[in-house]
Amino acid sequence: MRRTVTSLLLAASASLLALGAAHAQDKAPFTYQQMVGLDRINGMKVDPSGRYIVIDVRATDVAANKGVTSLWLKDLKTPDTPEIKLAASEGGAGDAQWSPDGTTIYFLSSRGGSSQIWKTDLTGATATQVTDLPLDVSAYRLTPDGKGIVLSLSVFPECKGDEIACTVQKQAARKADKATGMVYDKLFVRHWDTWADGTRNHLFYQALSGGAPVALTDGFDGDVPSKPFGDEGDFFISPDSRTVYMSARLAEKTEPWSTNFDIYSVPVTGGALTDLTAANPAWDAAPRVSPDGKTLAYTAQKRPGFESDRFDLMLRDLSSGKTIPLASDWDHTVAGLQWAKDGKSLLVDSDDHGKHLLFRVEVKTGKITQLSKDGDMVAYEETPQGLVFLKNSLKRPNTLYLAANKAAYVDDGAKNLTAFDSVLDTLAEGDYQQFKFKGWNDEDVYGYVMKPANYQAGKTYPVAFIVHGGPQVAFGDGWSFRWNPETYAGE
């Protein structure tokens, strides 16, 4: 099955693997130092009208050894006009979101000393602080009615009843304590690059009219978003703005070996959590409510404790509670999903033969249509001008595109909307192609061979052989700022 295919990557090739004409010799090869200095598109959000795109960009100040984030605005009605940097993002800005009426851009910034929500208008001239909480805001979503924000704060779950104030007090007591030791009586001790400090990511509702935040997961021993890589994709707000749906795992003392994430619902005004997927002891994730508010789509695994199990699509009727699988015979694992604007299909991204592609799944029939043909599809949104999407490949970092009309695939002839990576056009990069061979159990194993920069046919080169296999992660047709084959090809 495609989810278990192992990919191989060759960063340079021998003369037997000639792939075509050589690069021009007058171009310098792409280097690791140049990769570090590239501007990076971290995300994009299209306004409700489908005209404007706000782009999250991270630049690197190499001398200061730090990243600097900013927001840029692109007008799809004049796609050949360069995007503009919003002055309001000076001081750092990221995780941008649009207000439901499209007049306001919200974003996270730490310019005031902690991570809080700020806003600006379409001119982007000035920034106004929206939240002023004593704890950092790590993720958020605006309610569809535009009246409030659901946000995540890191609190101590034992502070039930007054999570924010109690957490502030406990943190102050820890800071004043001359002892720095920590006692752990359960795992995790560390999440990726951060030591566990006993706090949990919890959700709160903040009315934009003011007032104290309302705790939505009061006392819950779990994280929303999940640690260490969760984000606002772990929770969703119903179209009527009344209910929050979230994917979360009870931590207790089984967290490191448990994959039992469930989908919970809670009123936006606060109240008891309702576990909607308690019957499934495996992982339930990515809740998304249909535009008409009647159906909850989410992904689900079947094998408890096996975190690389396939994620299937599920549909739950929110009135009756009836839950059915969608396209259950499809042998792909769903990574991301969103409802099409007409509510008749789901747009999903999934690994496919060493690529990460976009598909459409019809809700009534389960019919699957492949929408992209190569690379790594990162984000996508429907607009009146066509599908806007963010995609990368082995030769290109995240790049923002507008799909061409009537193309067989959205990436056929798609228009590059930005120039953040234009320096790559002046450098020699290695070309690459995919190949396959039979593996241990006679399954197809996919790999990539990449030529050195300025490759010359008939010349012999050293070979770097890089193996990274399943069942969870494989090398594929995607850009990496960590292991980047183009930098190897340029050495």
Side-chain angles (χ1 to χ4, degrees):
M1 291 173 23
R2 291 173 179 82
R3 62 190 172 87
T4 60
V5 167
T6 301
S7 291
L8 306 178
L9 183 68
L10 294 114
S13 69
S15 59
L16 292 177
L17 294 170
L19 299 176
H23 277 270
Q25 295 297 307
D26 57 351
K27 285 188 176 182
F30 180 63
T31 66
Y32 180 82
Q33 289 75 19
Q34 288 165 324
M35 181 198 74
V36 171
L38 283 177
D39 289 347
R40 312 177 187 185
I41 302 179
N42 285 338
M44 63 92 179
K45 290 290 174 60
V46 179
D47 83 303
S49 74
R51 175 176 175 177
Y52 295 102
I53 311 171
V54 62
I55 311 165
D56 288 357
V57 179
R58 178 191 184 276
T60 303
D61 185 337
V62 177
N65 192 30
K66 68 177 183 178
V68 181
T69 59
S70 59
L71 302 180
W72 297 67
L73 193 67
K74 183 76 180 184
D75 188 344
L76 280 177
K77 283 197 172 182
T78 55
D80 293 324
T81 302
E83 58 280 356
I84 59 170
K85 184 178 180 180
L86 300 183
S89 61
E90 292 296 333
D95 297 302
Q97 295 185 29
W98 290 91
S99 63
D101 62 6
T103 63
T104 306
I105 300 170
Y106 291 80
F107 57 92
L108 289 180
S109 178
S110 298
R111 66 189 66 193
S114 66
S115 177
Q116 300 295 324
I117 300 171
W118 295 65
K119 68 178 181 180
T120 188
D121 58 18
L122 280 174
T123 68
T126 59
T128 302
Q129 189 167 350
V130 178
T131 61
D132 187 14
L133 299 168
L135 302 173
D136 286 342
V137 178
S138 60
Y140 73 103
R141 279 187 184 271
L142 291 158
T143 56
D145 62 9
K147 295 181 179 179
I149 303 173
V150 174
L151 53 85
S152 180
L153 306 174
S154 186
V155 299
F156 290 101
E158 63 268 26
C159 288
K160 188 173 182 179
D162 194 2
E163 290 186 315
I164 295 177
C166 172
T167 296
V168 171
Q169 292 173 0
K170 288 175 71 72
Q171 288 178 336
R174 279 190 177 182
K175 187 175 182 180
D177 193 344
K178 294 182 179 180
T180 59
M182 287 283 292
V183 176
Y184 292 94
D185 61 0
K186 63 179 180 180
L187 300 175
F188 290 102
V189 171
R190 186 178 177 90
H191 284 282
W192 194 244
D193 61 353
T194 304
W195 294 103
D197 62 359
T199 62
R200 296 290 181 189
N201 292 334
H202 278 195
L203 296 183
F204 297 81
Y205 170 74
Q206 176 66 67
L208 289 175
S209 60
V214 177
L216 302 181
T217 50
D218 194 22
F220 182 75
D221 188 15
D223 291 289
V224 190
S226 61
K227 294 178 181 178
F229 302 122
D231 56 23
E232 70 274 9
D234 287 343
F235 60 96
F236 197 82
I237 307 168
S238 61
D240 63 7
S241 301
R242 295 180 179 178
T243 308
V244 178
Y245 296 89
M246 64 182 190
S247 174
R249 169 179 58 187
L250 273 173
E252 299 174 328
K253 291 193 175 183
T254 62
E255 185 178 19
W257 50 89
S258 168
T259 60
N260 189 18
F261 285 76
D262 283 340
I263 305 294
Y264 296 86
S265 67
V266 62
V268 76
T269 53
L273 298 178
T274 300
D275 190 342
L276 302 179
T277 60
N280 181 25
W283 199 330
D284 303 295
R288 303 287 185 269
V289 183
S290 60
D292 63 8
K294 295 180 179 180
T295 307
L296 176 71
Y298 63 97
T299 61
Q301 294 183 342
K302 296 177 181 177
R303 298 170 61 182
F306 185 47
E307 61 181 13
S308 55
D309 192 20
R310 187 177 79 205
F311 277 106
D312 292 317
L313 279 171
M314 306 295 292
L315 297 177
R316 179 186 178 92
D317 186 301
L318 289 173
S319 294
S320 67
K322 181 181 178 181
T323 302
I324 59 172
L326 178 64
S328 59
D329 58 346
W330 193 34
D331 66 344
H332 286 51
T333 186
V334 176
L337 73 153
Q338 62 180 253
W339 285 89
K341 290 189 180 298
D342 62 8
K344 296 179 180 180
S345 62
L346 291 165
L347 300 176
V348 306
D349 54 275
S350 175
D351 287 341
D352 184 282
H353 296 104
K355 306 170 185 179
H356 193 80
L357 304 180
L358 180 64
F359 300 85
R360 184 185 300 277
V361 184
E362 303 294 333
V363 171
K364 284 188 176 181
T365 65
K367 177 185 176 182
I368 299 162
T369 303
Q370 182 180 328
L371 299 182
S372 67
K373 65 179 182 179
D374 55 26
D376 179 7
M377 189 66 71
V378 177
Y380 37 90
E381 292 195 40
E382 295 174 309
T383 77
Q385 288 77 23
L387 190 79
V388 171
F389 59 95
L390 195 60
K391 191 186 85 164
N392 62 73
S393 69
L394 280 166
K395 288 192 70 171
R396 214 76 181 185
N398 280 351
T399 304
L400 189 63
Y401 296 96
L402 175 63
N405 288 329
K406 299 180 180 179
Y409 297 103
V410 296
D411 37 10
D412 273 341
K415 182 179 182 61
N416 185 344
L417 295 174
T418 63
F420 292 109
D421 58 0
S422 59
V423 65
L424 295 176
D425 297 329
T426 68
L427 302 171
E429 295 181 279
D431 285 329
Y432 68 96
Q433 74 178 38
Q434 190 180 52
F435 65 96
K436 69 177 180 179
F437 57 93
K438 292 297 181 182
W440 180 259
N441 294 315
D442 203 39
E443 74 276 70
D444 286 339
V445 180
Y446 289 84
Y448 288 89
V449 56
M450 179 171 284
K451 294 187 302 182
N454 296 314
Y455 173 79
Q456 297 180 44
K459 185 177 178 180
T460 300
Y461 296 89
V463 174
F465 183 58
I466 308 168
V467 182
H468 200 324
Q472 288 178 275
V473 179
F475 280 126
D477 187 9
W479 185 272
S480 171
F481 281 97
R482 189 179 183 192
W483 297 298
N484 190 289
E486 283 294 354
T487 63
Y488 311 154
E491 290 298 325

